[in-house]
Amino acid sequence: MMRLSALLSLVLLSGCAAQAQQNTTITGSGIDASGQPVSAALDESAFRACVLNLQSNAMARGIPQNVVQHAFATITTADARVIELDRRQPEFLLSFWRYVGNSVSEDRIAKGRQMLAQHGQLLRRVQAQYGVQPEVLVSFWGLESNFGAIMGDFPTIRSLATLACDERRAAFFANELTEALRMIAFDRIDPAIMRGSWAGAFGNTQFMPSTFTGNAVDYDGDGRRDMFRSLPDVFASSANFLQKSGWRAGEGASYEVILPQGFPHDQADPSIEKTNAEWSALGVRRVDGQPLGATDQKTAIGLPAGHRGPAFLLLPNFKVIMRWNRSLLYGLAISILSERIAGRAGMSAVQSWDEPPLSATDIVEMQDALRRLGHYPDPSDGLVGPKTRAAIRSYQAASGLPQDGFPDQDLMSRLRTAR
Ligand SMILES: [Ca+2]
C-alpha cells in the first residue's frame, strides 16, 4: 500500500466508498508528553470491556454468537497504528497537479485499457443492467485498489473495533463493525481474509461494511457477495451503489471549460449550481470554443488549482462520485481517468507553473492573518474547509483579487505583508 507516494495511498485508501464525513475535531481524549492525544482504546482493560459491549450490541442486532466469537478470537488489543493514522493530519496540502499526476498516470491509463478489454464482456453486461459505463467502473477499481493489487493489509474487524472504542467517531465505527460481522455471518466471508484500509474499507473497490451490506450484489450467483475474489460481484456491486446514488446512464461526470476574462470566480464552487444557459450567459465555453451542451440539469464549476488552473463543468454524475468520496480532487481524478481509459481526451490544460505545496503550518499562519484582517472568525486549525475558503474570498474581494477562495503561495505572501 506504500507503493505510490505514501500520502496519496493513504488518502485514497481512507477515502473509500461512502465513508461518512470525517469529524476532524479531537475531543475528550488525554494528551501525552509530546502533546499527542492518547486514546482510551489503547488501554487494554478498557478495550476488552469495550469489545464485550460491541459484541453484545452486534448479537442484539442479529449476528449469531458463534460468528462474533470466531471473528474476535485472535483480537486481544487495539491497533495503535490505526489510532495514529486516524489522528494524523497531512503535512502538505495535495495539489491538483500532483494528485492527478499520481492517480491518472500513463501506467494506470494503460492498465485500465487492458482491464477494459480483458473484462469487456462482463462490464457490458453490468452496464446493461445498472447503466454505469465500463470505463467508470474500471476507474473506481483502478483508483481504489490499483485494479486489485493494493487492497490494504489491516485486519478489518480489529481496525473497526479499535476505532469503535476510540472516542472520535465511536458510534459510526460501532455500526460499521456490526455490518462487517453481518457480512461474515451471512455472506460467509472468512474473517481471516477480511483485510483492508486502516479505516475499515476492504476489497477491490474499498467498500465500507455498511456500503457493502446495503448495496453489494451476488452477480456470479455462488450464494455469497464477495468483494475480494469475485470481479462479477465487485463490478455489479459498485454499479448498483452508483445507480442507487443517482448515476445517469451514458453521461460523463465533468468536462473542462474555459472561463472568460472577468468571470466572477466566487461562482466557481461545487455547491453553486446553475443551468448551462446561465453559465453560457456568463461566457463559459467548452475548451474547443463550442457552447455548453443543452441539459435540463444544473451544473457547477470547479477550480481545483485556483483561477490560474483549469476549470471543469461538474455534471450531475459528479455529485454521485462525491457520494462515494467527498473530495473534488478524487471526483476529477475518476472523471479524467475514465475519459482517458475510454480513449477520449481527459484534459487539455497542462501545468504551466510549479510552486512548493502549502503545509498545515502555512495554513495556520494564513488563518491567523485572515483573522487579524477581520475575515476569519474561527480558531486556526490548519485545514482548508468551506469557512477558510469563504474567508479567503472575503479577503480577495476586499483586495480586488479574483475570488477563487484558493490558498496558494501568492496569497500566502500577500497575507504576510497585508496590513
Ligand atoms: Ca458471488
Side-chain angles (χ1 to χ4, degrees):
M1 123 172 197
M2 294 295 178
R3 278 181 27 187
L4 297 170
S5 93
L7 183 60
L8 177 68
S9 303
L10 290 169
V11 167
L12 292 179
L13 288 175
S14 62
C16 43
Q19 186 174 355
Q21 61 195 67
Q22 301 229 347
N23 173 4
T24 48
T25 313
I26 297 171
T27 55
S29 53
I31 303 286
D32 74 7
S34 65
Q36 292 298 305
V38 176
S39 170
L42 296 177
D43 178 281
E44 267 186 52
S45 64
F47 181 72
R48 272 198 298 274
C50 173
V51 162
L52 283 177
N53 191 31
L54 291 169
Q55 290 176 324
S56 56
N57 284 345
M59 287 186 279
R61 289 172 63 186
I63 316 297
Q65 184 178 7
N66 64 325
V67 169
V68 172
Q69 280 171 349
H70 178 56
F72 276 93
T74 60
I75 301 172
T76 52
T77 57
D79 190 337
R81 291 173 306 160
V82 168
I83 299 283
E84 189 188 321
L85 287 163
D86 191 45
R87 290 278 188 267
R88 178 176 170 279
Q89 270 192 22
E91 190 181 351
F92 290 102
L93 297 189
L94 269 180
S95 79
F96 168 73
W97 296 112
R98 185 176 299 204
Y99 187 90
V100 166
N102 283 335
S103 48
V104 192
S105 63
E106 293 303 322
D107 272 0
R108 205 184 309 263
I109 293 164
K111 188 81 187 289
R113 286 176 179 165
Q114 187 192 328
M115 293 295 128
L116 191 66
Q118 190 174 332
H119 304 290
Q121 201 177 3
L122 167 64
L123 286 160
R124 282 190 296 275
R125 253 196 311 136
V126 170
Q127 179 183 21
Q129 187 162 347
Y130 298 97
V132 182
Q133 300 94 307
E135 65 270 22
V136 173
L137 296 172
V138 168
S139 294
F140 277 105
W141 185 32
L143 274 197
E144 292 290 348
S145 69
N146 208 6
F147 311 102
I150 310 172
M151 295 196 266
D153 201 33
F154 286 85
T156 302
I157 298 298
R158 188 178 182 212
S159 291
L160 292 172
T162 298
L163 292 164
C165 292
D166 184 30
E167 58 281 300
R168 282 187 74 195
R169 287 173 287 161
F172 170 75
F173 284 110
N175 180 61
E176 292 298 331
L177 175 65
T178 299
E179 295 311 302
L181 293 167
R182 196 181 305 285
M183 169 178 162
I184 291 170
F186 301 109
D187 289 278
R188 292 174 290 118
I189 298 297
D190 180 354
I193 72 156
M194 265 191 85
R195 290 172 171 268
S197 81
W198 63 266
F202 59 84
N204 279 273
T205 47
Q206 298 283 289
F207 269 21
M208 286 299 284
S210 61
T211 308
F212 173 88
T213 51
N215 301 279
V217 176
D218 172 23
Y219 202 67
D220 63 12
D222 70 347
R224 72 173 100 192
R225 304 176 293 178
D226 187 340
M227 301 298 281
F228 295 93
R229 295 165 299 195
S230 165
L231 281 183
D233 291 8
V234 167
F235 293 145
S237 300
S238 303
N240 185 44
F241 176 59
L242 292 168
Q243 185 190 46
K244 284 164 74 175
S245 303
W247 188 266
R248 292 163 62 92
E251 294 186 10
S254 69
Y255 58 82
E256 196 181 354
V257 291
I258 301 289
L259 308 182
Q261 286 291 326
F263 179 82
H265 288 98
D266 61 339
Q267 299 301 294
D269 188 292
S271 69
I272 298 178
E273 297 188 320
K274 298 182 192 298
T275 62
N276 279 5
E278 289 172 304
W279 291 125
S280 295
L282 287 170
V284 180
R285 297 285 179 269
R286 289 175 179 268
V287 283
D288 60 6
Q290 294 298 305
L292 306 179
T295 166
D296 54 336
Q297 300 290 313
K298 292 200 168 189
T299 54
I301 288 179
L303 294 176
H307 71 279
R308 291 187 297 158
F312 293 90
L313 193 71
L314 311 179
L315 308 176
N317 279 346
F318 199 85
K319 282 191 283 189
V320 177
I321 300 177
M322 297 276 266
R323 291 190 62 177
W324 186 301
N325 181 321
R326 294 167 4 106
S327 149
L328 175 67
L329 296 187
Y330 180 88
L332 288 170
I334 289 283
S335 179
I336 296 168
L337 180 61
S338 55
E339 293 296 310
R340 292 292 312 275
I341 287 175
R344 296 185 291 265
M347 146 173 88
S348 68
V350 290
Q351 184 173 9
S352 55
W353 77 97
D354 197 14
E355 58 179 42
L358 294 172
S359 68
T361 312
D362 293 330
I363 299 299
V364 167
E365 187 186 345
M366 192 176 278
Q367 290 167 328
D368 288 345
L370 289 165
R371 189 184 312 95
R372 180 165 53 76
L373 296 166
H375 299 286
Y376 183 70
D378 296 295
S380 302
D381 60 4
L383 301 169
V384 181
K387 286 177 181 172
T388 300
R389 291 190 192 282
I392 294 171
R393 284 199 163 111
S394 167
Y395 167 76
Q396 289 171 326
S399 314
L401 299 167
Q403 295 165 52
D404 60 6
F406 187 75
D408 59 13
Q409 296 289 353
D410 176 63
L411 180 78
M412 190 77 239
S413 56
R414 283 173 187 277
L415 283 170
R416 282 193 172 120
T417 55
R419 306 179 57 84

